[in-house]
Amino acid sequence: MFSISILSTSSQLKYVSLGVLVLQTTSLVLTMRYSRTLQSEGPRYLASSAVVCAEVLKIVACMLLVFRDHSFSVRALNQVLREEIINKPLLTLKLAIPSGIYTLQNNLLYVALSNLDAATYQVTYQLKILTTALFSVSMLGKSLAFYQWLSLVILMAGIALVQWPTEVTSVTNQEDLTAGSQFMGLLAVLVACFSSGFAGVYFEKILKESKQSVWVRNIQLGLFGLIFGLGGVFVYDGERVRENGLFQGYNGLTWTVVALQALGGLVIAAVITYADNILKGFATSISIILSTLISYFLLEDFDPTSVFFLGAMLVIAATFLYGYESTSAVNPSKV
């Protein structure tokens, strides 16, 4: 009876994890896209400042989680932060590399969603599976099974089809998505995929070499990210900040995007304990489908073609195939 109750709770947690993963992934992409294309009076908010705000929020959230893990003791929190950040300068400096790359990646995602519709972005961004796999093989010495290599080939074919040039029939699309802006968006996604793959594997390598919690490591990442982000603000948007302030163009939607970007990764890290690779495949697939439907019916910035649908189906199939093989090779309880 007790074992049945445990299995029931575990099953419920898996479905909750699926819902959270889908909600976070889909809502971040759609709200970011909508906020970057929404016509409003006055200046649009600066993507660089939104990245900085997200880093601040992430640091605060991680500090609260460390505070909770140490029985809400201020002394214990201070001791952990001092020992892990101040007393280990070399390890802390190692995290400057992935932090700088993550900061670049976060800025690139704003560029991508300013120039691509949410559906095309969602499918193309799955190329990070390929880059992560390649960096895992080269940096961590991991080996991939035949079906995983096959899934990567299918993934590339699907993304190529999604990006296949088509005639734009919508006047709105012609105005919003010119060939030049689409190329800029695609370039931003590709660079973000490579940066995501490298930074993710590098961070994984650091986590395996240390015993400290992922929340402390995220604080270290956030501190460097804050420094790099502020540098980006004043280098690229310094003049606009001096004219209209750091929070120009901010509204409720902007803060929602900031919160989703800051807390999204932490939410995924928290629920991933209960979600295996197949479940993550389901979440990715549902998110792609939802983004496509909402882009078409609500945002009205996307006109799907048969080639896009074929490419999207190949990407979804590749995601499942890659995750299924990983689950077969690794005990799901340890993923």
Side-chain angles (χ1 to χ4, degrees):
M1 195 72 180
F2 182 67
S3 60
I4 294 175
S5 176
I6 292 176
L7 288 173
S8 176
T9 303
S10 177
S11 177
Q12 289 176 355
L13 287 173
K14 280 192 173 186
Y15 286 115
V16 170
S17 300
L18 174 64
V20 170
L21 286 170
V22 171
L23 180 63
Q24 191 277 330
T25 306
T26 309
S27 58
L28 174 60
V29 171
L30 292 172
T31 53
M32 190 181 289
R33 169 64 181 169
Y34 184 62
S35 71
R36 299 306 290 173
T37 56
L38 181 66
Q39 299 296 327
S40 60
E41 295 182 2
R44 180 173 294 165
Y45 74 92
L46 303 175
S48 57
S49 72
V51 170
V52 169
C53 291
E55 292 297 339
V56 172
L57 188 56
K58 185 175 73 173
I59 292 170
V60 172
C62 287
M63 290 186 70
L64 290 174
L65 288 168
V66 175
F67 187 49
R68 183 207 62 182
D69 290 343
H70 289 82
S71 304
F72 300 99
S73 169
V74 176
R75 179 179 296 179
L77 175 64
N78 288 332
Q79 184 178 354
V80 169
L81 295 179
R82 185 171 60 253
E83 288 180 355
E84 294 298 325
I85 298 176
I86 299 175
N87 295 343
K88 296 180 181 178
L90 291 179
L91 180 59
T92 300
L93 284 173
K94 280 185 179 180
L95 288 162
I97 297 174
S99 178
I101 297 173
Y102 279 134
T103 304
L104 171 65
Q105 174 191 330
N106 289 334
N107 279 281
L108 286 172
L109 296 186
Y110 282 98
V111 175
L113 282 165
S114 298
N115 295 284
L116 292 176
D117 60 82
T120 303
Y121 163 83
Q122 275 277 64
V123 178
T124 308
Y125 194 48
Q126 299 312 309
L127 190 64
K128 65 184 179 180
I129 296 174
L130 171 64
T131 59
T132 302
L134 294 178
F135 282 119
S136 295
V137 171
S138 60
M139 294 173 62
L140 300 179
K142 290 185 177 180
S143 59
L144 300 181
F146 170 76
Y147 284 104
Q148 288 178 299
W149 287 112
L150 178 62
S151 70
L152 295 178
V153 173
I154 296 173
L155 177 71
M156 288 188 291
I159 290 174
L161 288 175
V162 167
Q163 292 298 332
W164 197 266
T166 56
E167 293 184 4
V168 181
T169 56
S170 169
V171 174
T172 304
N173 283 355
Q174 285 180 342
E175 294 176 352
D176 293 342
L177 296 175
T178 63
S181 68
Q182 284 185 316
F183 176 76
M184 180 64 72
L186 174 60
L187 186 61
V189 174
L190 292 178
V191 176
C193 286
F194 277 94
S195 63
S196 173
F198 176 79
V201 173
Y202 187 97
F203 188 49
E204 181 184 348
K205 188 176 181 181
I206 291 176
L207 287 176
K208 288 183 176 181
E209 293 173 351
S210 63
K211 297 181 180 180
Q212 193 49 257
S213 74
V214 68
W215 309 127
V216 173
R217 297 295 171 240
N218 270 289
I219 292 173
Q220 293 170 305
L221 283 176
L223 290 173
F224 282 114
L226 181 59
I227 295 171
F228 290 129
L230 285 172
V233 169
F234 291 107
V235 169
Y236 296 105
D237 296 314
E239 187 175 340
R240 280 184 281 184
V241 169
R242 285 189 291 271
E243 289 177 359
N244 298 301
L246 185 65
F247 300 106
Q248 58 183 280
Y250 272 58
N251 53 33
L253 181 62
T254 309
W255 286 112
T256 300
V257 173
V258 168
L260 286 170
Q261 188 175 33
L263 304 179
L266 304 181
V267 169
I268 291 174
V271 304
I272 214 68
T273 307
Y274 309 104
D276 56 26
N277 282 297
I278 294 178
L279 202 64
K280 285 185 283 183
F282 268 114
T284 300
S285 304
I286 295 172
S287 182
I288 289 173
I289 293 169
L290 285 176
S291 296
T292 302
L293 293 175
I294 295 174
S295 291
Y296 180 68
F297 288 107
L298 296 182
L299 300 184
E300 297 181 346
D301 62 352
F302 175 63
D303 191 13
T305 64
S306 57
V307 176
F308 174 88
F309 278 118
L310 177 59
M313 290 301 102
L314 287 177
V315 169
I316 290 172
T319 304
F320 272 107
L321 185 59
Y322 187 86
Y324 176 78
E325 193 63 27
S326 296
T327 307
S328 301
V330 181
N331 187 341
S333 64
K334 297 180 181 179
V335 173

